[in-house]
Amino acid sequence: MSGGAKATSSAETAPSGTRTINLALQGGGAHGAFTWGVLDELLQEGRLDFEAISGTSAGAMNAVVLADGLMRDGAEGARRRLGAFWRRVSREGVGAGATNEIFQNILGFWNLPALPSFPSFPPFGYPERLAQMVSPYRINPLNINPLRDLLERLVDFDLVRANTALKLFISATNVRDGKIRVFTGDDITADAVMASACLPYLFHAVEIEGEAYWDGGYMGNPALFPFFTETQCEDILLVQVNPVRSEAVPKTAKEIMERVSEITFNSSLLREFRAIDFVNRLLEENRLDPKRYRRNRVHRIDATEALARYTASSKLNTSWHFFQELHAAGRKAARDWLDAHFEDIGVRSTLDLRAEFS
């Protein structure tokens, strides 16, 4: 579980007692603590080897912290590093001070407990006034982001880039052309991770090489396509923290905004599910050359049940107690998944892709 085992193309050629997977880690703000729990269990359990990780937003942060820890002290180092990261992200862990106060004010402002009344009736004056009200260029003109400071203190990006046995793919959205950019190799930096996690109503766009970037969740949450050409492993384990389906139809302004966000941040993933299923079916029907295309087996550890009692606004809940709850839920979900599906790795998909998008 070091991320340093030789990449393998099937379960049969993985080291004895282990099987190799690619990890896909969704973004979801504080809900990424569920992913921390999943990773903690997988690292401690030790039966999976990671060839590559694709991560977006909080998933990208989990990915680079894990890679840093693996280089320092293997699986146990990764577990310690992930725990330290989430402890420091919590309100109790960040510490008091002007920077933290500003950050909490930004988060509190974004939560919008009650929408003020405007003189213009929607849809004429309301959206414009709302956009002005939450613009980070107004409420955070210095672009203060304690999360970036924490990431730079905790993660040695030289170490992360030096871990050539573990490929990382970090997604961000180009503001100007709306296209996805996947950072990998020497392009994995603190800037790339912060671009992947840049919610446009909270922070200024992140400038990299003359281009501006927002949260990668708009175009790849996370991106799966890099696995197809850049890895040998054919098994993808998705840790999903954004629910695809919601039984309740939203009625209030807050509920509507939250559901729109969930749909938006799953749309690119569902398109990739459709593409994988399409290629897999054509391969089964001998309509594609298997020397040029390959089948991908997809598995999922899903946070939907663990997060059922929380609203989407809890993605901004940075309390340590909340993180502990999600961490415990993630560990349990990972244990349950391993018990049910470890033997399926390298053999068959355990996620019905067609049921997800059809």
Side-chain angles (χ1 to χ4, degrees), residues 325-350:
E325 284 187 2
L326 295 189
H327 173 262
R331 291 204 59 152
K332 180 181 184 302
R335 283 195 302 273
D336 292 345
W337 185 86
L338 283 170
D339 290 343
H341 297 301
F342 177 75
E343 297 299 332
D344 293 315
I345 300 172
V347 179
R348 64 181 65 85
S349 289
T350 57

Short mmCIF file of all heavy atoms in Angstrom, two decimals, residues 325-350:
data_model
loop_
_atom_site.label_atom_id
_atom_site.label_comp_id
_atom_site.label_asym_id
_atom_site.label_seq_id
_atom_site.Cartn_x
_atom_site.Cartn_y
_atom_site.Cartn_z
N GLU A 325 -17.51 12.15 12.60
CA GLU A 325 -18.67 11.36 12.18
C GLU A 325 -18.49 10.83 10.76
O GLU A 325 -18.73 9.65 10.48
CB GLU A 325 -19.95 12.19 12.27
CG GLU A 325 -20.48 12.41 13.66
CD GLU A 325 -21.84 13.10 13.64
OE1 GLU A 325 -22.35 13.38 12.53
OE2 GLU A 325 -22.39 13.35 14.72
N LEU A 326 -18.08 11.72 9.85
CA LEU A 326 -17.91 11.32 8.46
C LEU A 326 -16.74 10.35 8.31
O LEU A 326 -16.81 9.41 7.50
CB LEU A 326 -17.69 12.55 7.57
CG LEU A 326 -18.85 13.53 7.48
CD1 LEU A 326 -18.57 14.57 6.40
CD2 LEU A 326 -20.16 12.82 7.18
N HIS A 327 -15.67 10.57 9.06
CA HIS A 327 -14.53 9.66 9.01
C HIS A 327 -14.94 8.26 9.42
O HIS A 327 -14.60 7.27 8.76
CB HIS A 327 -13.43 10.19 9.94
CG HIS A 327 -12.27 9.27 10.11
ND1 HIS A 327 -12.15 8.42 11.20
CD2 HIS A 327 -11.17 9.03 9.34
CE1 HIS A 327 -11.03 7.72 11.09
NE2 HIS A 327 -10.42 8.07 9.98
N ALA A 328 -15.69 8.15 10.52
CA ALA A 328 -16.16 6.83 10.98
C ALA A 328 -17.07 6.19 9.94
O ALA A 328 -16.98 4.98 9.68
CB ALA A 328 -16.88 6.97 12.31
N ALA A 329 -17.95 6.99 9.33
CA ALA A 329 -18.85 6.46 8.30
C ALA A 329 -18.06 5.99 7.09
O ALA A 329 -18.38 4.96 6.48
CB ALA A 329 -19.86 7.52 7.89
N GLY A 330 -17.02 6.73 6.72
CA GLY A 330 -16.19 6.33 5.59
C GLY A 330 -15.44 5.04 5.85
O GLY A 330 -15.34 4.18 4.97
N ARG A 331 -14.94 4.88 7.06
CA ARG A 331 -14.25 3.63 7.40
C ARG A 331 -15.20 2.44 7.32
O ARG A 331 -14.85 1.38 6.78
CB ARG A 331 -13.63 3.73 8.80
CG ARG A 331 -12.47 4.70 8.89
CD ARG A 331 -11.55 4.36 10.05
NE ARG A 331 -11.02 3.01 9.93
CZ ARG A 331 -9.85 2.62 10.44
NH1 ARG A 331 -9.09 3.47 11.09
NH2 ARG A 331 -9.44 1.39 10.30
N LYS A 332 -16.39 2.61 7.86
CA LYS A 332 -17.36 1.52 7.82
C LYS A 332 -17.74 1.18 6.38
O LYS A 332 -17.83 0.00 6.00
CB LYS A 332 -18.61 1.88 8.61
CG LYS A 332 -19.67 0.77 8.61
CD LYS A 332 -20.90 1.17 9.37
CE LYS A 332 -21.90 0.01 9.44
NZ LYS A 332 -22.30 -0.46 8.09
N ALA A 333 -17.97 2.21 5.56
CA ALA A 333 -18.35 1.97 4.17
C ALA A 333 -17.23 1.23 3.42
O ALA A 333 -17.51 0.34 2.60
CB ALA A 333 -18.66 3.29 3.48
N ALA A 334 -15.99 1.58 3.70
CA ALA A 334 -14.87 0.91 3.06
C ALA A 334 -14.77 -0.55 3.50
O ALA A 334 -14.51 -1.44 2.68
CB ALA A 334 -13.57 1.65 3.37
N ARG A 335 -14.97 -0.80 4.79
CA ARG A 335 -14.94 -2.19 5.29
C ARG A 335 -16.03 -3.02 4.64
O ARG A 335 -15.80 -4.15 4.20
CB ARG A 335 -15.11 -2.21 6.82
CG ARG A 335 -13.88 -1.83 7.60
CD ARG A 335 -14.01 -2.23 9.07
NE ARG A 335 -15.17 -1.62 9.71
CZ ARG A 335 -15.16 -0.41 10.28
NH1 ARG A 335 -14.06 0.32 10.28
NH2 ARG A 335 -16.25 0.05 10.87
N ASP A 336 -17.23 -2.44 4.59
CA ASP A 336 -18.35 -3.17 3.99
C ASP A 336 -18.09 -3.45 2.51
O ASP A 336 -18.40 -4.55 2.03
CB ASP A 336 -19.65 -2.35 4.13
CG ASP A 336 -20.12 -2.25 5.58
OD1 ASP A 336 -19.63 -3.03 6.42
OD2 ASP A 336 -20.98 -1.38 5.85
N TRP A 337 -17.53 -2.48 1.81
CA TRP A 337 -17.26 -2.68 0.39
C TRP A 337 -16.20 -3.76 0.18
O TRP A 337 -16.35 -4.63 -0.69
CB TRP A 337 -16.81 -1.37 -0.27
CG TRP A 337 -16.64 -1.54 -1.74
CD1 TRP A 337 -17.60 -1.44 -2.70
CD2 TRP A 337 -15.43 -1.90 -2.42
NE1 TRP A 337 -17.06 -1.71 -3.95
CE2 TRP A 337 -15.73 -1.99 -3.80
CE3 TRP A 337 -14.12 -2.14 -2.00
CZ2 TRP A 337 -14.78 -2.31 -4.75
CZ3 TRP A 337 -13.17 -2.47 -2.95
CH2 TRP A 337 -13.50 -2.55 -4.31
N LEU A 338 -15.14 -3.73 0.96
CA LEU A 338 -14.09 -4.74 0.84
C LEU A 338 -14.64 -6.14 1.13
O LEU A 338 -14.33 -7.10 0.42
CB LEU A 338 -12.93 -4.43 1.78
CG LEU A 338 -11.98 -3.32 1.33
CD1 LEU A 338 -11.03 -2.95 2.47
CD2 LEU A 338 -11.17 -3.74 0.10
N ASP A 339 -15.44 -6.26 2.18
CA ASP A 339 -16.03 -7.56 2.52
C ASP A 339 -16.89 -8.09 1.38
O ASP A 339 -16.89 -9.29 1.09
CB ASP A 339 -16.88 -7.45 3.79
CG ASP A 339 -16.05 -7.22 5.04
OD1 ASP A 339 -14.83 -7.47 4.98
OD2 ASP A 339 -16.62 -6.80 6.06
N ALA A 340 -17.60 -7.18 0.72
CA ALA A 340 -18.54 -7.61 -0.32
C ALA A 340 -17.89 -7.78 -1.68
O ALA A 340 -18.30 -8.65 -2.47
CB ALA A 340 -19.68 -6.59 -0.43
N HIS A 341 -16.84 -7.01 -1.98
CA HIS A 341 -16.40 -6.92 -3.38
C HIS A 341 -14.91 -7.07 -3.64
O HIS A 341 -14.48 -6.94 -4.79
CB HIS A 341 -16.85 -5.58 -3.97
CG HIS A 341 -18.34 -5.41 -4.00
ND1 HIS A 341 -19.17 -6.27 -4.68
CD2 HIS A 341 -19.15 -4.47 -3.43
CE1 HIS A 341 -20.42 -5.87 -4.55
NE2 HIS A 341 -20.43 -4.79 -3.78
N PHE A 342 -14.11 -7.35 -2.62
CA PHE A 342 -12.67 -7.47 -2.88
C PHE A 342 -12.38 -8.51 -3.96
O PHE A 342 -11.54 -8.28 -4.85
CB PHE A 342 -11.92 -7.82 -1.59
CG PHE A 342 -10.44 -8.02 -1.79
CD1 PHE A 342 -9.60 -6.93 -1.98
CD2 PHE A 342 -9.89 -9.31 -1.83
CE1 PHE A 342 -8.25 -7.11 -2.18
CE2 PHE A 342 -8.54 -9.49 -2.04
CZ PHE A 342 -7.71 -8.40 -2.21
N GLU A 343 -13.06 -9.63 -3.91
CA GLU A 343 -12.80 -10.70 -4.88
C GLU A 343 -13.26 -10.34 -6.29
O GLU A 343 -12.89 -11.01 -7.25
CB GLU A 343 -13.49 -12.01 -4.43
CG GLU A 343 -12.98 -12.55 -3.12
CD GLU A 343 -11.50 -12.92 -3.17
OE1 GLU A 343 -11.01 -13.25 -4.27
OE2 GLU A 343 -10.83 -12.85 -2.11
N ASP A 344 -14.06 -9.28 -6.43
CA ASP A 344 -14.51 -8.85 -7.76
C ASP A 344 -13.49 -8.00 -8.49
O ASP A 344 -13.59 -7.82 -9.71
CB ASP A 344 -15.82 -8.05 -7.64
CG ASP A 344 -16.98 -8.91 -7.16
OD1 ASP A 344 -17.13 -10.03 -7.68
OD2 ASP A 344 -17.71 -8.46 -6.26
N ILE A 345 -12.51 -7.46 -7.76
CA ILE A 345 -11.49 -6.61 -8.40
C ILE A 345 -10.70 -7.44 -9.40
O ILE A 345 -10.22 -8.52 -9.10
CB ILE A 345 -10.55 -6.01 -7.34
CG1 ILE A 345 -11.34 -5.15 -6.35
CG2 ILE A 345 -9.46 -5.17 -8.01
CD1 ILE A 345 -10.52 -4.68 -5.17
N GLY A 346 -10.59 -6.93 -10.61
CA GLY A 346 -9.90 -7.66 -11.67
C GLY A 346 -10.77 -8.67 -12.37
O GLY A 346 -10.33 -9.32 -13.31
N VAL A 347 -12.03 -8.81 -11.93
CA VAL A 347 -12.93 -9.83 -12.48
C VAL A 347 -14.15 -9.19 -13.13
O VAL A 347 -14.47 -9.46 -14.29
CB VAL A 347 -13.38 -10.81 -11.38
CG1 VAL A 347 -14.34 -11.86 -11.96
CG2 VAL A 347 -12.17 -11.49 -10.74
N ARG A 348 -14.86 -8.33 -12.38
CA ARG A 348 -16.11 -7.76 -12.88
C ARG A 348 -16.37 -6.40 -12.23
O ARG A 348 -15.87 -6.13 -11.14
CB ARG A 348 -17.29 -8.69 -12.59
CG ARG A 348 -17.56 -8.88 -11.10
CD ARG A 348 -18.72 -9.83 -10.85
NE ARG A 348 -18.41 -11.18 -11.32
CZ ARG A 348 -17.74 -12.08 -10.60
NH1 ARG A 348 -17.29 -11.77 -9.40
NH2 ARG A 348 -17.52 -13.27 -11.09
N SER A 349 -17.16 -5.58 -12.91
CA SER A 349 -17.62 -4.33 -12.31
C SER A 349 -18.65 -4.62 -11.23
O SER A 349 -19.43 -5.57 -11.34
CB SER A 349 -18.26 -3.43 -13.37
OG SER A 349 -17.29 -2.91 -14.26
N THR A 350 -18.67 -3.80 -10.21
CA THR A 350 -19.69 -3.96 -9.16
C THR A 350 -20.65 -2.77 -9.15
O THR A 350 -21.53 -2.70 -8.29
CB THR A 350 -19.04 -4.12 -7.78
OG1 THR A 350 -18.18 -3.00 -7.52
CG2 THR A 350 -18.22 -5.40 -7.74
#
